[in-house]
Amino acid sequence: EVQLVESGGALVQPGGSLTLSCVVSGRSFTDGYIAWFRQGPGKEREGVSFIAENNGFAIHQDSMKGRFTTSIDNTKNTVYLRMTRLQFEDTAVYYCAASWGFIGNRFFDADTFPHWGQGTQVTVSS
Protein backbone atom coordinates (compact mmCIF):
# COMPACT_ATOMS: atom_id res chain seq x y z
CA GLU A 1 0.00 0.00 0.00
CA VAL A 2 1.36 3.36 -1.00
CA GLN A 3 1.65 5.85 1.83
CA LEU A 4 2.60 9.49 1.74
CA VAL A 5 3.42 11.36 4.92
CA GLU A 6 3.90 15.11 4.95
CA SER A 7 5.66 17.00 7.69
CA GLY A 8 7.18 20.37 8.38
CA GLY A 9 4.09 22.53 8.62
CA ALA A 10 4.24 25.30 11.20
CA LEU A 11 3.28 28.80 12.19
CA VAL A 12 5.57 31.28 10.47
CA GLN A 13 5.69 35.05 10.15
CA PRO A 14 5.19 36.83 6.83
CA GLY A 15 8.42 36.88 4.90
CA GLY A 16 9.61 33.73 6.61
CA SER A 17 10.62 30.39 5.16
CA LEU A 18 9.61 26.79 5.66
CA THR A 19 10.47 23.42 4.17
CA LEU A 20 7.87 20.69 3.90
CA SER A 21 8.74 17.03 3.42
CA CYS A 22 6.80 14.22 1.83
CA VAL A 23 8.00 10.67 2.46
CA VAL A 24 6.71 8.03 0.06
CA SER A 25 6.58 4.38 1.09
CA GLY A 26 4.98 1.16 -0.03
CA ARG A 27 6.21 1.34 -3.58
CA SER A 28 9.43 1.96 -5.42
CA PHE A 29 9.99 5.65 -5.92
CA THR A 30 11.26 4.99 -9.44
CA ASP A 31 9.41 6.79 -12.23
CA GLY A 32 6.97 8.35 -9.82
CA TYR A 33 5.40 11.76 -10.15
CA ILE A 34 4.87 13.83 -7.04
CA ALA A 35 2.82 16.96 -6.73
CA TRP A 36 2.11 19.40 -3.95
CA PHE A 37 -1.36 20.83 -3.54
CA ARG A 38 -2.80 23.16 -0.96
CA GLN A 39 -6.18 24.19 0.33
CA GLY A 40 -6.58 27.44 2.19
CA PRO A 41 -9.50 28.34 4.44
CA GLY A 42 -12.59 28.83 2.34
CA LYS A 43 -10.68 28.15 -0.84
CA GLU A 44 -10.58 25.39 -3.38
CA ARG A 45 -7.66 23.03 -3.53
CA GLU A 46 -4.96 24.24 -5.91
CA GLY A 47 -1.79 22.79 -7.32
CA VAL A 48 1.49 24.14 -6.02
CA SER A 49 4.26 22.19 -7.70
CA PHE A 50 5.11 19.03 -9.55
CA ILE A 51 8.26 16.97 -9.85
CA ALA A 52 9.16 13.87 -11.84
CA GLU A 53 11.40 11.33 -10.11
CA ASN A 54 13.15 10.06 -13.24
CA ASN A 55 14.66 13.34 -14.36
CA GLY A 56 13.88 15.88 -11.65
CA PHE A 57 11.73 17.96 -13.97
CA ALA A 58 9.83 20.38 -11.76
CA ILE A 59 7.33 23.15 -12.32
CA HIS A 60 5.49 25.54 -10.03
CA GLN A 61 2.34 27.55 -10.25
CA ASP A 62 3.00 31.05 -11.52
CA SER A 63 2.14 32.71 -8.21
CA MET A 64 4.81 30.64 -6.49
CA LYS A 65 7.61 30.85 -9.00
CA GLY A 66 10.70 32.34 -7.49
CA ARG A 67 9.44 31.73 -3.97
CA PHE A 68 8.90 27.97 -3.88
CA THR A 69 11.35 25.26 -4.87
CA THR A 70 10.64 21.55 -5.17
CA SER A 71 13.35 18.93 -4.93
CA ILE A 72 13.66 15.20 -4.59
CA ASP A 73 15.97 12.90 -2.65
CA ASN A 74 15.72 9.49 -4.26
CA THR A 75 17.80 7.86 -1.53
CA LYS A 76 15.22 8.86 1.06
CA ASN A 77 12.07 8.54 -1.08
CA THR A 78 11.38 12.11 -0.06
CA VAL A 79 10.18 15.19 -1.88
CA TYR A 80 10.75 18.64 -0.41
CA LEU A 81 8.88 21.88 -0.88
CA ARG A 82 11.00 24.83 0.11
CA MET A 83 8.88 27.93 0.62
CA THR A 84 10.37 31.38 1.03
CA ARG A 85 8.97 34.92 1.38
CA LEU A 86 5.79 33.43 2.75
CA GLN A 87 2.65 35.54 2.58
CA PHE A 88 -0.64 35.47 4.44
CA GLU A 89 -2.21 33.96 1.32
CA ASP A 90 0.05 30.92 1.63
CA THR A 91 -1.82 29.80 4.73
CA ALA A 92 -3.25 26.39 3.89
CA VAL A 93 -3.10 22.68 4.46
CA TYR A 94 -0.43 21.36 2.12
CA TYR A 95 -0.77 17.89 0.63
CA CYS A 96 1.55 15.78 -1.42
CA ALA A 97 0.17 13.38 -3.98
CA ALA A 98 1.72 10.67 -6.12
CA SER A 99 1.13 8.86 -9.36
CA TRP A 100 2.95 6.25 -11.39
CA GLY A 101 0.61 6.52 -14.32
CA PHE A 102 0.57 8.67 -17.42
CA ILE A 103 0.56 12.35 -16.52
CA GLY A 104 0.75 14.15 -19.82
CA ASN A 105 0.60 17.82 -18.96
CA ARG A 106 -1.95 17.46 -16.16
CA PHE A 107 0.59 18.50 -13.56
CA PHE A 108 -1.90 20.27 -11.33
CA ASP A 109 -4.96 18.14 -11.93
CA ALA A 110 -5.80 16.50 -8.61
CA ASP A 111 -7.59 13.66 -10.38
CA THR A 112 -4.28 12.63 -11.92
CA PHE A 113 -2.94 11.53 -8.54
CA PRO A 114 -4.50 8.49 -6.81
CA HIS A 115 -2.30 8.56 -3.72
CA TRP A 116 -2.47 11.34 -1.15
CA GLY A 117 -1.01 12.21 2.20
CA GLN A 118 -2.94 13.49 5.18
CA GLY A 119 -1.68 17.06 4.85
CA THR A 120 0.35 19.42 6.99
CA GLN A 121 -0.81 22.84 8.18
CA VAL A 122 1.09 25.98 7.24
CA THR A 123 -0.06 29.17 8.90
CA VAL A 124 1.42 32.53 8.00
CA SER A 125 0.60 35.06 10.66
CA SER A 126 2.20 37.94 12.50
Side-chain angles (χ1 to χ4, degrees):
E1 177 184 1
V2 175
Q3 289 190 328
L4 288 78
V5 178
E6 304 96 333
S7 63
L11 172 65
V12 62
Q13 292 187 341
S17 300
L18 206 58
T19 299
L20 306 183
S21 301
C22 172
V23 179
V24 180
S25 63
R27 177 168 178 164
S28 170
F29 211 29
T30 304
D31 293 330
Y33 303 103
I34 309 296
W36 286 95
F37 291 82
R38 71 182 185 184
Q39 187 163 17
K43 298 180 181 179
E44 294 186 355
R45 182 173 50 188
E46 64 174 338
V48 173
S49 72
F50 167 93
I51 191 164
E53 182 277 337
N54 60 355
N55 58 11
F57 167 75
I59 61 171
H60 299 78
Q61 284 282 21
D62 288 345
S63 62
M64 299 147 202
K65 288 179 181 177
R67 297 193 302 125
F68 290 8
T69 304
T70 301
S71 61
I72 195 166
D73 186 338
N74 305 74
T75 66
K76 297 181 179 179
N77 280 18
T78 300
V79 175
Y80 302 97
L81 179 66
R82 174 66 175 170
M83 305 183 292
T84 64
R85 305 199 311 271
L86 283 162
Q87 305 165 358
F88 294 119
E89 297 74 28
D90 295 317
T91 294
V93 178
Y94 284 72
Y95 301 90
C96 63
S99 175
W100 282 262
F102 178 71
I103 293 289
N105 61 353
R106 297 173 293 142
F107 307 115
F108 302 128
D109 182 349
D111 291 337
T112 302
F113 301 90
H115 308 287
W116 289 76
Q118 82 290 347
T120 186
Q121 176 71 48
V122 172
T123 302
V124 183
S125 176
S126 55

